[in-house]
Amino acid sequence: MPTMFLCKSEILPLLDMKEVIPAVENAFRQWALGKAQMPPKSYLTVDKGDFRAMPASLPGAAGMKWVNVHPANPSRNLPTVMAVIIYSDPETGYPLAVMDGTDITAYRTGAASAVASKYLARKDASTLGLVGAGRQAHTQLMAHAALYDLKLVKVYDLSEASTSRLIKAFPQYRIEAHTLPEVMDSDIVCTVTPAHSPVVRKEWVKPGVHINAVGADAHGKEELDPEILNEAVIFVDDMRQASTSGEVNVPLDKGLLDPNRIRGSLGDVVAGTKKGRTNDREITVFDSTGLAIEDIACAHMIYEKVKRNSEFTRLNFVEA
Ligand SMILES: NC(=O)c1ccc[n+]([C@@H]2O[C@H](COP(=O)([O-])OP(=O)(O)OC[C@H]3O[C@@H](n4cnc5c(N)ncnc54)[C@H](O)[C@@H]3O)[C@@H](O)[C@H]2O)c1
Protein backbone atom coordinates (compact mmCIF):
# COMPACT_ATOMS: atom_id res chain seq x y z
CA MET A 1 0.00 0.00 0.00
CA PRO A 2 2.48 2.73 -1.13
CA THR A 3 1.89 6.33 -0.09
CA MET A 4 0.05 8.44 -2.67
CA PHE A 5 1.38 11.89 -3.65
CA LEU A 6 -1.10 14.44 -4.95
CA CYS A 7 0.21 17.78 -6.17
CA LYS A 8 -1.71 21.04 -6.60
CA SER A 9 -2.65 20.49 -10.25
CA GLU A 10 -4.08 17.06 -9.33
CA ILE A 11 -5.98 18.26 -6.25
CA LEU A 12 -7.85 21.17 -7.84
CA PRO A 13 -9.93 19.08 -10.30
CA LEU A 14 -10.87 16.79 -7.39
CA LEU A 15 -12.37 19.66 -5.40
CA ASP A 16 -16.05 20.28 -5.99
CA MET A 17 -17.54 22.94 -3.71
CA LYS A 18 -20.88 21.10 -3.72
CA GLU A 19 -19.10 18.13 -2.08
CA VAL A 20 -16.77 20.15 0.14
CA ILE A 21 -19.64 22.03 1.86
CA PRO A 22 -21.40 18.90 3.24
CA ALA A 23 -18.03 17.34 4.19
CA VAL A 24 -17.14 20.45 6.22
CA GLU A 25 -20.66 20.67 7.68
CA ASN A 26 -20.37 17.06 8.83
CA ALA A 27 -16.96 17.76 10.39
CA PHE A 28 -18.53 20.58 12.46
CA ARG A 29 -21.29 18.19 13.56
CA GLN A 30 -18.82 15.43 14.55
CA TRP A 31 -16.68 17.93 16.48
CA ALA A 32 -19.70 19.24 18.41
CA LEU A 33 -20.81 15.67 19.19
CA GLY A 34 -17.37 14.81 20.61
CA LYS A 35 -16.55 12.38 17.79
CA ALA A 36 -13.52 14.29 16.46
CA GLN A 37 -10.19 15.20 18.02
CA MET A 38 -8.30 18.41 17.39
CA PRO A 39 -5.42 19.54 19.61
CA PRO A 40 -4.80 23.33 19.46
CA LYS A 41 -3.01 24.70 16.39
CA SER A 42 0.68 25.14 17.07
CA TYR A 43 2.12 28.42 15.72
CA LEU A 44 5.71 29.02 14.60
CA THR A 45 6.38 32.70 13.86
CA VAL A 46 9.20 33.77 11.54
CA ASP A 47 10.28 37.18 10.21
CA LYS A 48 7.95 37.40 7.21
CA GLY A 49 5.00 35.34 8.42
CA ASP A 50 4.07 32.25 10.35
CA PHE A 51 3.54 28.49 10.12
CA ARG A 52 0.83 26.41 11.78
CA ALA A 53 0.77 22.67 12.54
CA MET A 54 -2.83 21.45 12.55
CA PRO A 55 -3.56 17.82 13.52
CA ALA A 56 -7.05 16.28 13.70
CA SER A 57 -8.98 13.05 13.54
CA LEU A 58 -12.56 12.31 12.51
CA PRO A 59 -14.24 8.90 12.45
CA GLY A 60 -12.14 6.88 9.93
CA ALA A 61 -9.68 9.69 9.14
CA ALA A 62 -6.57 11.27 10.68
CA GLY A 63 -3.88 13.67 9.57
CA MET A 64 -2.10 16.96 9.89
CA LYS A 65 -1.83 20.13 7.85
CA TRP A 66 1.37 22.22 7.78
CA VAL A 67 0.41 25.68 6.53
CA ASN A 68 1.97 29.13 6.29
CA VAL A 69 0.66 32.71 6.10
CA HIS A 70 3.18 35.09 4.47
CA PRO A 71 1.27 38.30 3.57
CA ALA A 72 4.02 39.72 1.31
CA ASN A 73 4.11 36.62 -0.89
CA PRO A 74 1.89 37.95 -3.71
CA SER A 75 4.67 40.45 -4.59
CA ARG A 76 6.91 37.39 -5.16
CA ASN A 77 4.27 35.64 -7.25
CA LEU A 78 3.59 33.16 -4.45
CA PRO A 79 0.29 32.65 -2.61
CA THR A 80 0.01 34.11 0.90
CA VAL A 81 -1.20 30.74 2.16
CA MET A 82 0.32 27.37 1.11
CA ALA A 83 -0.19 24.02 2.75
CA VAL A 84 0.74 20.33 2.74
CA ILE A 85 -1.47 17.66 4.31
CA ILE A 86 -0.28 14.26 5.58
CA TYR A 87 -3.29 11.94 5.58
CA SER A 88 -2.95 8.75 7.63
CA ASP A 89 -4.87 5.59 8.45
CA PRO A 90 -6.11 6.07 12.04
CA GLU A 91 -6.06 2.24 12.59
CA THR A 92 -2.38 1.72 11.79
CA GLY A 93 -0.89 5.21 11.44
CA TYR A 94 0.14 4.34 7.86
CA PRO A 95 0.77 7.49 5.75
CA LEU A 96 -1.86 6.96 3.05
CA ALA A 97 -1.25 10.22 1.19
CA VAL A 98 0.72 13.44 1.09
CA MET A 99 -1.27 16.11 -0.68
CA ASP A 100 -1.08 19.78 -1.53
CA GLY A 101 -3.35 21.55 0.96
CA THR A 102 -3.34 25.04 -0.56
CA ASP A 103 -6.55 24.72 -2.54
CA ILE A 104 -8.07 22.46 0.12
CA THR A 105 -7.49 25.34 2.59
CA ALA A 106 -9.18 27.86 0.34
CA TYR A 107 -12.11 25.54 -0.46
CA ARG A 108 -12.75 24.42 3.10
CA THR A 109 -12.50 28.06 4.34
CA GLY A 110 -15.14 29.10 1.83
CA ALA A 111 -17.23 26.05 2.72
CA ALA A 112 -17.06 26.80 6.48
CA SER A 113 -18.42 30.31 5.83
CA ALA A 114 -21.17 28.96 3.59
CA VAL A 115 -22.19 26.48 6.32
CA ALA A 116 -22.26 29.39 8.80
CA SER A 117 -24.38 31.45 6.40
CA LYS A 118 -26.74 28.50 5.86
CA TYR A 119 -27.46 28.32 9.61
CA LEU A 120 -27.06 31.98 10.64
CA ALA A 121 -27.98 34.28 7.73
CA ARG A 122 -31.52 35.40 6.98
CA LYS A 123 -33.36 32.87 4.85
CA ASP A 124 -34.05 35.48 2.14
CA ALA A 125 -30.36 36.43 1.73
CA SER A 126 -29.51 37.14 -1.92
CA THR A 127 -26.62 39.62 -1.88
CA LEU A 128 -23.03 38.92 -0.88
CA GLY A 129 -20.38 41.46 0.17
CA LEU A 130 -16.68 40.67 0.02
CA VAL A 131 -14.23 42.78 2.00
CA GLY A 132 -10.92 41.69 0.49
CA ALA A 133 -10.67 40.11 -2.95
CA GLY A 134 -7.64 37.82 -2.58
CA ARG A 135 -7.38 34.02 -2.78
CA GLN A 136 -9.83 33.28 0.02
CA ALA A 137 -12.43 35.72 -1.36
CA HIS A 138 -12.67 33.60 -4.54
CA THR A 139 -13.73 30.51 -2.59
CA GLN A 140 -16.02 32.51 -0.27
CA LEU A 141 -17.84 33.53 -3.44
CA MET A 142 -17.82 30.00 -4.92
CA ALA A 143 -19.17 28.47 -1.70
CA HIS A 144 -21.98 31.01 -1.36
CA ALA A 145 -22.86 30.68 -5.02
CA ALA A 146 -23.19 26.92 -4.45
CA LEU A 147 -25.85 27.52 -1.77
CA TYR A 148 -27.54 30.78 -2.81
CA ASP A 149 -29.04 32.29 -5.89
CA LEU A 150 -26.88 35.43 -5.62
CA LYS A 151 -28.47 38.49 -7.23
CA LEU A 152 -25.43 40.73 -6.63
CA VAL A 153 -21.90 40.42 -5.24
CA LYS A 154 -20.28 43.67 -4.04
CA VAL A 155 -16.53 43.72 -3.51
CA TYR A 156 -14.03 46.08 -1.93
CA ASP A 157 -10.27 45.65 -1.81
CA LEU A 158 -7.44 48.13 -1.26
CA SER A 159 -5.91 46.71 -4.42
CA GLU A 160 -7.74 47.41 -7.67
CA ALA A 161 -5.80 44.55 -9.27
CA SER A 162 -7.25 42.05 -6.75
CA THR A 163 -10.75 43.39 -7.32
CA SER A 164 -10.55 43.17 -11.09
CA ARG A 165 -8.97 39.67 -10.93
CA LEU A 166 -11.94 38.49 -8.86
CA ILE A 167 -14.50 40.11 -11.18
CA LYS A 168 -12.79 38.58 -14.26
CA ALA A 169 -12.55 35.12 -12.65
CA PHE A 170 -16.35 34.81 -12.30
CA PRO A 171 -18.01 36.23 -15.42
CA GLN A 172 -21.13 34.15 -14.65
CA TYR A 173 -22.04 36.32 -11.62
CA ARG A 174 -23.01 39.96 -11.28
CA ILE A 175 -20.00 41.31 -9.33
CA GLU A 176 -19.43 45.03 -8.80
CA ALA A 177 -16.62 47.02 -7.18
CA HIS A 178 -17.99 49.24 -4.40
CA THR A 179 -16.91 51.37 -1.47
CA LEU A 180 -16.62 49.62 1.85
CA PRO A 181 -19.84 51.10 3.31
CA GLU A 182 -21.72 49.96 0.16
CA VAL A 183 -20.30 46.45 0.44
CA MET A 184 -21.50 46.28 4.04
CA ASP A 185 -25.04 46.89 2.77
CA SER A 186 -25.31 43.21 1.72
CA ASP A 187 -27.27 40.35 3.29
CA ILE A 188 -24.12 38.30 3.91
CA VAL A 189 -20.62 39.79 4.22
CA CYS A 190 -17.34 37.87 4.26
CA THR A 191 -14.30 39.77 5.55
CA VAL A 192 -11.12 38.21 4.15
CA THR A 193 -8.26 40.66 4.70
CA PRO A 194 -5.03 40.16 6.67
CA ALA A 195 -5.83 43.29 8.74
CA HIS A 196 -4.42 43.84 12.22
CA SER A 197 -6.82 46.67 13.05
CA PRO A 198 -10.54 47.09 12.36
CA VAL A 199 -11.42 47.66 8.71
CA VAL A 200 -15.23 47.62 9.12
CA ARG A 201 -16.85 50.42 11.11
CA LYS A 202 -19.93 50.03 13.29
CA GLU A 203 -21.97 52.70 11.46
CA TRP A 204 -21.80 50.72 8.17
CA VAL A 205 -23.37 47.58 9.64
CA LYS A 206 -27.10 47.07 8.95
CA PRO A 207 -29.57 45.12 11.14
CA GLY A 208 -30.09 41.57 9.92
CA VAL A 209 -26.68 41.14 8.28
CA HIS A 210 -24.65 37.99 8.73
CA ILE A 211 -20.87 38.49 8.77
CA ASN A 212 -18.33 35.73 8.23
CA ALA A 213 -15.16 37.15 9.84
CA VAL A 214 -12.50 35.04 8.15
CA GLY A 215 -9.30 37.10 7.96
CA ALA A 216 -8.38 37.10 11.65
CA ASP A 217 -6.73 33.73 12.18
CA ALA A 218 -3.72 34.60 14.34
CA HIS A 219 -3.03 36.53 17.52
CA GLY A 220 -3.35 40.31 17.10
CA LYS A 221 -5.45 40.17 13.89
CA GLU A 222 -8.93 41.77 13.72
CA GLU A 223 -11.18 43.16 10.98
CA LEU A 224 -14.33 44.36 12.77
CA ASP A 225 -14.87 47.31 15.11
CA PRO A 226 -15.41 45.67 18.56
CA GLU A 227 -18.65 47.71 18.80
CA ILE A 228 -20.05 45.53 15.99
CA LEU A 229 -19.29 42.42 18.03
CA ASN A 230 -20.93 43.96 21.11
CA GLU A 231 -24.19 44.36 19.16
CA ALA A 232 -23.99 40.98 17.47
CA VAL A 233 -24.62 37.37 18.34
CA ILE A 234 -21.29 35.63 17.80
CA PHE A 235 -20.65 32.00 16.89
CA VAL A 236 -17.06 30.74 16.83
CA ASP A 237 -15.66 27.74 14.96
CA ASP A 238 -13.79 26.72 18.09
CA MET A 239 -13.73 28.70 21.35
CA ARG A 240 -10.13 27.84 22.24
CA GLN A 241 -8.81 28.95 18.84
CA ALA A 242 -11.10 31.97 18.49
CA SER A 243 -10.17 33.44 21.87
CA THR A 244 -6.45 33.31 21.09
CA SER A 245 -6.39 33.89 17.34
CA GLY A 246 -9.85 34.68 15.97
CA GLU A 247 -11.80 37.91 15.40
CA VAL A 248 -12.63 38.08 19.10
CA ASN A 249 -9.01 37.67 20.32
CA VAL A 250 -7.99 41.35 20.41
CA PRO A 251 -11.22 42.78 21.91
CA LEU A 252 -11.28 39.98 24.51
CA ASP A 253 -7.64 40.72 25.45
CA LYS A 254 -8.37 44.44 25.73
CA GLY A 255 -11.58 43.90 27.71
CA LEU A 256 -13.57 45.55 24.88
CA LEU A 257 -15.91 42.61 24.24
CA ASP A 258 -18.58 41.22 26.52
CA PRO A 259 -17.83 37.43 26.39
CA ASN A 260 -21.60 36.79 26.75
CA ARG A 261 -21.99 37.97 23.13
CA ILE A 262 -20.44 34.60 22.13
CA ARG A 263 -23.46 32.29 22.02
CA GLY A 264 -21.65 29.07 21.09
CA SER A 265 -19.92 27.29 18.26
CA LEU A 266 -21.11 26.73 14.69
CA GLY A 267 -20.90 22.99 15.43
CA ASP A 268 -23.43 23.44 18.26
CA VAL A 269 -25.85 25.04 15.80
CA VAL A 270 -25.22 22.40 13.11
CA ALA A 271 -25.70 19.60 15.67
CA GLY A 272 -28.90 21.28 16.88
CA THR A 273 -27.78 21.84 20.48
CA LYS A 274 -27.75 25.68 20.18
CA LYS A 275 -30.11 28.04 18.43
CA GLY A 276 -28.68 30.18 15.61
CA ARG A 277 -30.35 33.41 14.42
CA THR A 278 -33.55 34.16 16.33
CA ASN A 279 -34.96 37.07 14.29
CA ASP A 280 -34.45 38.98 11.03
CA ARG A 281 -32.91 42.06 12.68
CA GLU A 282 -30.21 40.26 14.63
CA ILE A 283 -26.60 40.84 13.52
CA THR A 284 -24.83 37.48 13.45
CA VAL A 285 -21.06 36.99 13.24
CA PHE A 286 -19.23 33.75 12.51
CA ASP A 287 -15.66 33.94 13.83
CA SER A 288 -13.72 31.62 11.51
CA THR A 289 -10.17 30.72 12.52
CA GLY A 290 -9.94 27.61 10.33
CA LEU A 291 -10.10 24.15 11.86
CA ALA A 292 -7.92 21.11 11.21
CA ILE A 293 -11.09 18.96 11.13
CA GLU A 294 -12.17 20.90 8.00
CA ASP A 295 -8.88 19.99 6.28
CA ILE A 296 -8.94 16.34 7.30
CA ALA A 297 -12.58 16.01 6.20
CA CYS A 298 -11.53 17.26 2.74
CA ALA A 299 -8.38 15.09 2.65
CA HIS A 300 -10.56 12.06 3.49
CA MET A 301 -13.04 12.95 0.75
CA ILE A 302 -10.23 13.28 -1.83
CA TYR A 303 -8.42 10.11 -0.77
CA GLU A 304 -11.64 8.09 -0.99
CA LYS A 305 -12.17 9.42 -4.54
CA VAL A 306 -8.73 8.45 -5.83
CA LYS A 307 -7.50 5.54 -3.69
CA ARG A 308 -8.10 2.95 -6.42
CA ASN A 309 -6.80 5.14 -9.22
CA SER A 310 -3.40 3.96 -10.45
CA GLU A 311 -2.65 7.19 -12.37
CA PHE A 312 -1.36 9.03 -9.31
CA THR A 313 2.24 8.87 -8.04
CA ARG A 314 2.90 6.39 -5.22
CA LEU A 315 6.11 5.83 -3.25
CA ASN A 316 6.97 3.08 -0.87
CA PHE A 317 7.64 5.39 2.08
CA VAL A 318 7.40 2.74 4.74
CA GLU A 319 9.37 -0.43 3.96
CA ALA A 320 7.22 -3.52 4.59
N1 LIG B 1 -10.22 31.63 8.82
C1 LIG B 1 -9.61 30.80 8.01
O1 LIG B 1 -9.89 29.59 7.98
C2 LIG B 1 -8.57 31.32 7.06
C3 LIG B 1 -8.04 30.47 6.07
C4 LIG B 1 -7.12 30.98 5.17
C5 LIG B 1 -6.72 32.31 5.27
N2 LIG B 1 -7.23 33.10 6.26
C6 LIG B 1 -6.83 34.50 6.38
O2 LIG B 1 -7.55 35.22 5.41
C7 LIG B 1 -6.83 36.41 5.07
C8 LIG B 1 -6.78 36.55 3.56
O3 LIG B 1 -6.06 35.45 3.01
P1 LIG B 1 -5.84 35.35 1.41
O4 LIG B 1 -5.22 34.03 1.17
O5 LIG B 1 -7.08 35.72 0.68
O6 LIG B 1 -4.77 36.51 1.21
P2 LIG B 1 -4.48 37.35 -0.13
O7 LIG B 1 -3.16 38.01 0.12
O8 LIG B 1 -4.63 36.48 -1.32
O9 LIG B 1 -5.65 38.44 -0.17
C9 LIG B 1 -5.82 39.43 0.81
C10 LIG B 1 -6.47 40.63 0.12
O10 LIG B 1 -6.86 41.57 1.14
C11 LIG B 1 -6.60 42.86 0.62
N3 LIG B 1 -6.52 43.80 1.74
C12 LIG B 1 -5.52 43.96 2.64
N4 LIG B 1 -5.87 44.88 3.56
C13 LIG B 1 -7.11 45.33 3.22
C14 LIG B 1 -7.99 46.28 3.77
N5 LIG B 1 -7.67 46.98 4.84
N6 LIG B 1 -9.18 46.50 3.15
C15 LIG B 1 -9.50 45.80 2.02
N7 LIG B 1 -8.70 44.87 1.46
C16 LIG B 1 -7.52 44.64 2.05
C17 LIG B 1 -5.33 42.72 -0.17
O11 LIG B 1 -5.17 43.76 -1.10
C18 LIG B 1 -5.54 41.35 -0.83
O12 LIG B 1 -6.17 41.46 -2.09
C19 LIG B 1 -5.46 36.27 5.75
O13 LIG B 1 -5.47 37.01 6.95
C20 LIG B 1 -5.38 34.79 6.07
O14 LIG B 1 -4.53 34.55 7.18
C21 LIG B 1 -8.15 32.64 7.14
Side-chain angles (χ1 to χ4, degrees), residues 69 74 80-81 108-109 132 134-136 156-159 162 192-194 199 214-215 217 221 288-290:
V69 178
T80 302
V81 176
R108 63 72 149 150
T109 304
R135 177 69 187 105
Q136 308 308 320
Y156 168 79
D157 192 295
L158 287 178
S159 148
S162 291
V192 266
T193 76
V199 174
V214 177
D217 61 350
K221 288 168 93 171
S288 166
T289 60

Side-chain angles (χ1 to χ4, degrees), residues 16-25 28 104-118 136 139-144 146-147 212 266 286 288 294 298:
D16 177 346
M17 198 50 102
K18 288 216 156 91
E19 295 171 352
V20 175
I21 292 171
V24 167
E25 182 173 355
F28 274 105
I104 291 176
T105 298
Y107 271 66
R108 63 72 149 150
T109 304
S113 291
V115 172
S117 298
K118 174 179 162 184
Q136 308 308 320
T139 43
Q140 297 289 318
L141 167 55
M142 288 163 67
H144 283 85
L147 285 193
N212 293 305
L266 178 60
F286 171 52
S288 166
E294 301 165 12
C298 290

Side-chain angles (χ1 to χ4, degrees), residues 213-240:
V214 177
D217 61 350
H219 190 66
K221 288 168 93 171
E222 58 178 336
E223 297 180 287
L224 307 178
D225 179 341
E227 280 311 304
I228 299 169
L229 299 173
N230 277 317
E231 277 214 2
V233 180
I234 305 164
F235 293 88
V236 295
D237 55 7
D238 174 61
M239 192 54 216
R240 204 170 36 186

